[in-house]
Amino acid sequence: MQDPTPQGEKKRQRRKDARPSEIIAAAMQLWAERGFAATRLEDVAAGAHIAKGTIYRYFPSKEALFEAALQARIVATMDRARDMAQGFDGPTSQMLSGFFETIRTELVDGGSSVFLRVLLSEGHRFPDLVARYERVVLSRGMSTVRAILAAGVARGDLRPEAADCDPRLVMAPAMMLSLWGTVFTTEGLPDMRSALAQHVAILMGGLGRR
Amino acid sequence: MQDPTPQGEKKRQRRKDARPSEIIAAAMQLWAERGFAATRLEDVAAGAHIAKGTIYRYFPSKEALFEAALQARIVATMDRARDMAQGFDGPTSQMLSGFFETIRTELVDGGSSVFLRVLLSEGHRFPDLVARYERVVLSRGMSTVRAILAAGVARGDLRPEAADCDPRLVMAPAMMLSLWGTVFTTEGLPDMRSALAQHVAILMGGLGRR
Amino acid sequence: MQDPTPQGEKKRQRRKDARPSEIIAAAMQLWAERGFAATRLEDVAAGAHIAKGTIYRYFPSKEALFEAALQARIVATMDRARDMAQGFDGPTSQMLSGFFETIRTELVDGGSSVFLRVLLSEGHRFPDLVARYERVVLSRGMSTVRAILAAGVARGDLRPEAADCDPRLVMAPAMMLSLWGTVFTTEGLPDMRSALAQHVAILMGGLGRR
Amino acid sequence: MQDPTPQGEKKRQRRKDARPSEIIAAAMQLWAERGFAATRLEDVAAGAHIAKGTIYRYFPSKEALFEAALQARIVATMDRARDMAQGFDGPTSQMLSGFFETIRTELVDGGSSVFLRVLLSEGHRFPDLVARYERVVLSRGMSTVRAILAAGVARGDLRPEAADCDPRLVMAPAMMLSLWGTVFTTEGLPDMRSALAQHVAILMGGLGRR
DNA sequence: CATGAATGAGTGTTCATTCAT
DNA sequence: GATGAATGAACACTCATTCAT
């Protein structure tokens, strides 16, 4: 009598609140397996154990679902990565390792490499999304790299020219290796963590003080 | 006059022989512009100035066309790259530059980055193709890198440990930058040649003799 | 306090009783604006400030709502019109004017032209409704016209042949003009009242005593 | 050998040329029976004995099909009607009769009343079509009426005030009766031709010289 | 009783593929 | 061989209707 939202209401409500992320999770799994275009919304629905129409209560279109997934999964991580870079003041090699580990965790463990893959191959159809991804993900990543390099120069870990290094060169192996593992064989190759450690070593050698 | 292959016939014959590569050229151009899934076979036909049905005279399906294009465009180039690497015996930095320039030419100017993009995001639909691409393109590229590194070590340009370097780390920036330019903005960033020159410098610093 | 129908109850009761007509009112407004097929039940619910499911407490289906709206809105008016015609004994031109004004008020101001529009274009889906509309609305209207004409002949206002006039000819302009204004431009044309006055004049000239 | 389009080609060509009008014919029949919204494109295809996709070779959308049907069926007729009115110089009553017969033939026999019905009830979804219908059909019809009335005044058949008569009053019965017959019973009522003859008589009485 | 989350049948549209000419 | 008209399976999206709360 006193409670206008009794126990009964809550179960459905709890479900409703969880739906969007359940749908996103199902979608990302399938996109990772089959690609964006090749995944039917009906499959996503089945993966989330709901009916096709239910998706449309939460996302107005397939593209919007992609956008929401992107938003939901990445922003937080990139912020975290940047905070880490700015807050932490250890040796440059350690900052780079931390940065790469963050990227690896997000892209590989968190499954965010789908976004990169989809944007790379179907990006022409979603110019707005590409623009947002650049703004939110790529440029933040590049800023982080620049900050790390600048800090390294300031600290004396790196040579002054390191500040002018194209940040994509620093990020590329982390990105590429994440993609690599989703399609190509990695047999006979170092695991991603070791490879990134090698990358740090090369960078420190190539950019560091002689 | 009784000649069964008169002048007219020959022209047609020449035309007919050229068809497959004309179709492939048209397809690659469009795939590069719009992506594989978003390009209709009808557009490819129009680009090749033939009728839609004619494509099926030469390729049994859209996927087969993709496969043929991949086969046709890449093998030669990769062979060239390897030959170049093996045949040439200059300083390591020069060999790396040459190798990257070859990759860049092929992927960017030749438009082969489509293959990488498609395979990366829709590879699961083409397991055989992925396997072949790995065998023919990726592993050859990695062999080339290993050969260059080994030659560098032998020459004394590189430290012995360079021979154990994951070849993907060497290739990744060249691959990633090729993909980058097909979707993302490059404004405010060095052009690809300069970036690869930086990459060579970093590698030489990171892997080279102190 | 022990009263089983206290003040609060009553208000709710009054509310509940009013629901059907509130729903009908909301529906007719939207049907008039967008047409029957293009109006979603959800919009009707929103217009009536209730939840979608609540409509089903009162009407078992969308078609049933249409039927109920038809029933509710028209019978009364047509009865009124007939009463007016039969009760009043003025000059024929005045009776016709009054009749047309009644039709105009109902169809245009009251929004009942939707029924005519829907029945005209989707009537085949509602054979029962069409039959009822004919019985209740059209044939009553025609009776009224016949009564007016007969009275006019009896009075000496009209020529005897007027009694044989197809009543649809008398009603058609009033009906058509009501429909016209719901879709087509009326710019540069007389307003409906003036037009109907012209119509009365023509009828009186064409059917009246020379 | 001399004929680049031999017999074989022709059969298909003849078919192709006929397709659009076959599709339109099938569509109009079904729209007349069931209304526009309630008729699936698949039904139209079945009615034209073709596959659903074939419709899209000739019309880019359902709406475009409606538009094409409208264009195809009506313009010619309305032009004919206007030519008739302008070219013919007989008594006004005869011109009116001719005009109404043209309208009747087109709307009833030619099935064009569908357009009116669809526009009346679903016109809100097609503002462009409504505008075109007004421009092409309605305003031409009204011009024709005005021309007939003006000619009648000039001839001395009609009183001067007839020139100011709202042309919709003249057309309304012809339009309304066409619609009437598609949904409502006409039992016990004069057939359309007789009714329109009565209408002409009334108009001549109401607008004509005393 | 009221709610609105969930459903799923239904429809317009696309496009790889076929095949009569 | 070459053509392009025809096909029909497939898919995104809508919305009347249901039902757990």
Side-chain angles (χ1 to χ4, degrees):
Chain A
M1 282 251 179
Q2 317 94 308
D3 190 354
T5 55
Q7 252 277 289
E9 268 292 292
K10 272 181 185 160
K11 199 177 288 173
R12 192 173 254 220
Q13 189 58 38
R14 207 179 307 129
R15 203 69 193 283
K16 194 202 160 192
D17 293 346
R19 278 281 146 80
S21 45
E22 286 171 14
I23 294 170
I24 286 176
M28 286 191 62
Q29 163 139 22
L30 289 163
W31 291 338
E33 285 169 16
R34 311 178 196 176
F36 177 75
T39 301
R40 299 174 311 159
L41 239 12
E42 196 154 7
D43 298 332
V44 174
H49 305 293
I50 56 176
K52 189 172 30 161
T54 304
I55 294 178
Y56 286 86
R57 286 201 67 73
Y58 300 97
F59 306 100
S61 71
K62 192 184 183 184
E63 188 175 330
L65 172 58
F66 181 78
E67 197 169 338
L70 183 55
Q71 196 72 12
R73 298 287 328 233
I74 301 208
V75 177
T77 309
M78 290 317 289
D79 279 343
R80 218 189 311 140
R82 193 183 43 183
D83 294 351
M84 175 209 74
Q86 288 176 336
F88 185 41
D89 194 33
T92 302
S93 65
Q94 213 168 317
M95 293 184 73
L96 285 172
S97 298
F99 177 65
F100 290 144
E101 178 58 16
T102 306
I103 293 184
R104 197 202 58 76
T105 304
E106 179 61 19
L107 290 179
V108 178
D109 299 346
S112 293
S113 60
V114 221
F115 300 127
L116 197 49
R117 285 157 59 196
V118 169
L119 253 22
L120 242 21
S121 73
E122 301 179 71
H124 297 274
R125 289 166 49 203
F126 312 118
D128 293 351
L129 271 191
V130 169
R132 164 136 19 131
Y133 190 82
E134 285 197 62
R135 207 175 340 110
V136 168
V137 181
L138 296 181
S139 66
R140 287 191 193 196
M142 292 195 286
S143 300
T144 304
V145 170
R146 287 199 187 95
I148 293 176
L149 296 182
V153 171
R155 258 183 151 260
D157 283 352
L158 304 181
R159 280 180 284 151
E161 306 91 275
D164 299 327
C165 176
D166 184 339
R168 293 177 298 171
L169 293 175
V170 176
M171 294 163 63
M175 296 167 76
M176 198 70 229
L177 264 47
S178 299
L179 299 178
W180 195 290
T182 62
V183 234
F184 299 123
T185 308
T186 51
E187 228 176 307
L189 293 167
D191 75 358
M192 196 168 157
R193 278 208 182 84
S194 323
L196 288 176
Q198 283 192 329
H199 180 45
V200 171
I202 293 172
L203 286 174
M204 291 310 296
L207 300 172
R209 269 217 183 280
R210 296 288 147 98
Chain B
M1 285 266 177
Q2 299 118 314
D3 185 349
T5 56
Q7 254 276 288
E9 274 284 293
K10 267 181 189 161
K11 208 176 280 174
R12 178 178 290 184
Q13 187 59 38
R14 209 180 308 129
R15 194 71 195 286
K16 201 186 118 191
D17 293 346
R19 277 280 159 77
S21 48
E22 284 172 15
I23 294 171
I24 286 175
M28 287 194 62
Q29 164 139 18
L30 290 164
W31 291 341
E33 285 168 14
R34 314 177 194 174
F36 176 75
T39 300
R40 297 174 307 161
L41 236 19
E42 192 154 11
D43 299 331
V44 174
H49 305 294
I50 56 173
K52 194 174 16 166
T54 306
I55 293 180
Y56 285 84
R57 293 258 147 225
Y58 301 97
F59 307 100
S61 73
K62 195 185 182 184
E63 300 192 1
L65 172 58
F66 179 77
E67 195 169 339
L70 181 55
Q71 192 71 13
R73 295 286 327 231
I74 301 206
V75 177
T77 310
M78 290 317 288
D79 280 344
R80 218 189 311 141
R82 192 181 45 183
D83 294 351
M84 175 208 76
Q86 290 176 334
F88 186 41
D89 193 32
T92 303
S93 65
Q94 214 167 315
M95 294 183 73
L96 285 172
S97 297
F99 178 66
F100 291 144
E101 178 58 15
T102 307
I103 293 184
R104 198 201 59 75
T105 304
E106 179 62 20
L107 290 179
V108 178
D109 298 347
S112 294
S113 60
V114 235
F115 300 127
L116 199 48
R117 284 155 59 195
V118 170
L119 254 22
L120 242 21
S121 75
E122 299 182 76
H124 297 270
R125 289 167 52 200
F126 312 114
D128 294 351
L129 265 195
V130 169
R132 171 149 5 136
Y133 190 82
E134 284 198 64
R135 207 173 340 108
V136 169
V137 181
L138 297 181
S139 64
R140 287 191 195 197
M142 292 194 285
S143 301
T144 305
V145 170
R146 286 199 189 94
I148 293 175
L149 295 182
V153 172
R155 253 182 154 260
D157 282 351
L158 304 181
R159 280 179 282 152
E161 306 92 273
D164 299 327
C165 176
D166 184 340
R168 293 176 300 170
L169 292 176
V170 176
M171 296 164 64
M175 296 169 76
M176 198 69 230
L177 263 49
S178 300
L179 299 178
W180 195 290
T182 62
V183 239
F184 300 124
T185 307
T186 51
E187 224 177 313
L189 293 168
D191 74 1
M192 196 167 158
R193 279 205 181 87
S194 322
L196 288 176
Q198 283 192 330
H199 181 46
V200 171
I202 292 172
L203 287 174
M204 292 309 295
L207 300 173
R209 261 211 192 284
R210 298 287 148 101
Chain C
M1 284 263 179
Q2 299 118 313
D3 185 351
T5 56
Q7 253 276 289
E9 275 284 294
K10 268 181 191 163
K11 207 176 279 174
R12 178 177 290 183
Q13 188 58 38
R14 209 180 308 130
R15 194 70 195 285
K16 200 186 122 192
D17 293 346
R19 279 281 159 76
S21 48
E22 285 172 13
I23 294 170
I24 287 174
M28 286 193 62
Q29 163 137 20
L30 290 163
W31 291 339
E33 285 168 14
R34 313 177 195 175
F36 177 76
T39 301
R40 297 175 307 161
L41 236 19
E42 192 154 11
D43 298 331
V44 174
H49 305 294
I50 57 174
K52 194 172 17 164
T54 306
I55 293 180
Y56 285 84
R57 293 258 147 224
Y58 301 97
F59 307 100
S61 74
K62 196 185 181 184
E63 299 192 2
L65 172 58
F66 180 76
E67 196 168 338
L70 181 55
Q71 192 71 12
R73 296 286 327 229
I74 300 207
V75 178
T77 310
M78 288 317 289
D79 280 345
R80 218 190 310 140
R82 193 183 43 185
D83 294 352
M84 174 208 74
Q86 288 176 337
F88 184 40
D89 193 32
T92 302
S93 66
Q94 213 168 317
M95 294 183 74
L96 285 171
S97 297
F99 177 66
F100 290 145
E101 179 57 15
T102 306
I103 293 184
R104 199 201 59 75
T105 304
E106 179 63 17
L107 290 179
V108 178
D109 299 346
S112 294
S113 60
V114 236
F115 300 128
L116 199 48
R117 284 156 58 196
V118 171
L119 254 22
L120 242 20
S121 75
E122 299 181 76
H124 296 270
R125 287 167 53 200
F126 313 114
D128 294 350
L129 264 195
V130 169
R132 171 148 5 136
Y133 190 82
E134 283 197 64
R135 209 176 336 111
V136 168
V137 181
L138 296 181
S139 65
R140 287 190 193 198
M142 292 195 285
S143 300
T144 304
V145 169
R146 285 199 188 96
I148 293 175
L149 296 182
V153 172
R155 253 183 154 261
D157 282 352
L158 305 180
R159 280 179 281 152
E161 306 91 274
D164 300 327
C165 176
D166 184 339
R168 293 177 299 171
L169 293 176
V170 176
M171 296 164 63
M175 295 168 76
M176 197 70 229
L177 264 47
S178 300
L179 298 179
W180 195 288
T182 62
V183 237
F184 299 124
T185 307
T186 52
E187 225 176 312
L189 293 168
D191 75 1
M192 195 167 159
R193 278 207 182 87
S194 322
L196 288 176
Q198 284 191 330
H199 181 44
V200 171
I202 293 172
L203 287 174
M204 291 309 296
L207 300 173
R209 262 214 190 283
R210 296 285 148 102
Chain D
M1 282 249 179
Q2 316 94 307
D3 189 352
T5 56
Q7 250 277 285
E9 267 291 291
K10 271 181 186 158
K11 202 177 288 174
R12 191 174 255 220
Q13 189 59 38
R14 209 180 307 129
R15 203 69 192 282
K16 193 200 160 193
D17 293 345
R19 276 283 146 78
S21 44
E22 287 171 13
I23 294 170
I24 286 175
M28 286 190 62
Q29 162 138 22
L30 289 163
W31 292 338
E33 284 168 16
R34 312 177 196 178
F36 177 75
T39 301
R40 299 176 309 160
L41 238 12
E42 197 154 9
D43 297 332
V44 174
H49 305 294
I50 56 176
K52 189 169 34 159
T54 304
I55 294 179
Y56 285 86
R57 285 201 66 72
Y58 300 97
F59 307 100
S61 71
K62 193 183 182 184
E63 186 174 334
L65 172 57
F66 181 77
E67 196 168 340
L70 182 55
Q71 195 72 14
R73 298 288 327 234
I74 300 208
V75 177
T77 309
M78 290 316 290
D79 279 343
R80 221 189 309 139
R82 193 182 43 184
D83 294 351
M84 175 209 74
Q86 289 176 337
F88 185 40
D89 193 31
T92 302
S93 65
Q94 213 168 316
M95 293 182 74
L96 285 171
S97 298
F99 178 66
F100 290 143
E101 178 57 14
T102 305
I103 292 184
R104 198 203 59 75
T105 303
E106 180 62 18
L107 290 178
V108 178
D109 299 347
S112 293
S113 61
V114 222
F115 300 127
L116 199 49
R117 286 157 59 196
V118 169
L119 254 22
L120 242 21
S121 73
E122 302 180 70
H124 298 274
R125 290 167 48 204
F126 312 118
D128 292 351
L129 272 191
V130 169
R132 164 135 21 129
Y133 190 82
E134 284 197 62
R135 208 175 338 110
V136 169
V137 181
L138 296 181
S139 66
R140 287 191 193 197
M142 292 195 286
S143 299
T144 304
V145 169
R146 286 200 187 94
I148 293 175
L149 295 182
V153 171
R155 260 184 149 257
D157 282 353
L158 304 181
R159 280 180 282 150
E161 304 92 274
D164 299 326
C165 177
D166 184 340
R168 292 177 299 171
L169 293 176
V170 176
M171 294 163 65
M175 295 168 76
M176 198 70 229
L177 263 48
S178 299
L179 298 179
W180 196 289
T182 62
V183 237
F184 299 123
T185 308
T186 51
E187 230 176 307
L189 292 168
D191 76 358
M192 195 168 159
R193 279 209 182 82
S194 322
L196 287 176
Q198 283 192 330
H199 181 45
V200 171
I202 292 172
L203 287 174
M204 291 310 295
L207 299 172
R209 268 217 185 284
R210 298 285 148 100

